[in-house]
Amino acid sequence: MTDSTRPFGTWAKIYRDLGLSPRPLKYPGADSRTGKLLGKACKERGWQLPDSELPPGTVEKWDAQYGHYNIGLLMGTPLPDGTLLGALDIDHDQYVPLGRALLGNPSCGRVGKKGAVYFVRFTPLEAKVKYKVKGEQNAAFGQVAEFLLQRTLCVIPPSIHPDIEQPYRWIGTPLHEMDFNQLPLIGE
């Protein structure tokens, strides 16, 4: 099987070896309660915990059973320089140029259905940061961006986007090839 049919199975160990915390994201299927398509959320108990705090055998179970699942990374994972891994998730295409400019033209991101996500380093922050914009005649345009910080997930390639049934793809340098010190630093 190729990495697009086994995203978690192919990439989890690679990201774990880099010190990051991959999580299995069930795909395909739908949530039995809501009917919402799966593939962007982790349904495993304790996914928000660092790998070191997971019950013994959890990571091995995920590796053995969930190879065909999508893959996400736990945001807030410590990086070698003492900062934490985060991401700016821009939900609308028209705000991508602004996000890129604010981050100083970042070299590592990914795209799925729309918008973009750019990976960043951050110093510990307490607030959950979201940005909403109102459209014409005060109509809600909705959330346009948010920082994915601690205890959040970011879906990464080659996971399959459930809405368009196509793989997410990298923008610029893939995260697993990045020198993490080259990621934009926010929060200082």
Side-chain angles (χ1 to χ4, degrees), residues 58-165:
T58 300
V59 169
E60 294 79 8
K61 174 190 148 198
W62 291 348
D63 288 345
Q65 295 180 0
Y66 302 135
H68 61 287
Y69 279 28
N70 278 344
I71 184 171
L73 293 176
L74 179 63
M75 298 292 101
T77 301
L79 297 172
D81 69 350
T83 62
L84 307 171
L85 178 66
L88 174 61
D89 183 0
I90 305 167
D91 294 326
H92 295 279
D93 291 335
Q94 54 268 53
Y95 287 93
V96 170
L98 175 61
R100 288 184 59 79
L102 290 172
L103 293 176
N105 199 25
S107 58
C108 179
R110 68 101 174 122
V111 66
K113 179 179 174 182
K114 61 184 175 7
V117 168
Y118 293 103
F119 292 94
V120 299
R121 297 174 297 138
F122 70 96
T123 56
L125 300 169
E126 295 297 321
K128 190 170 185 179
V129 184
K130 295 185 179 194
Y131 302 95
K132 294 186 179 193
V133 172
K134 295 190 178 220
E136 291 181 23
Q137 299 174 347
N138 216 23
F141 191 63
Q143 181 174 302
V144 296
E146 73 178 301
F147 278 107
L148 304 176
L149 302 173
Q150 295 170 329
R151 305 187 115 187
T152 59
L153 283 173
C154 184
V155 183
I156 59 169
S159 296
I160 305 298
H161 194 291
D163 294 341
I164 59 174
E165 297 183 352

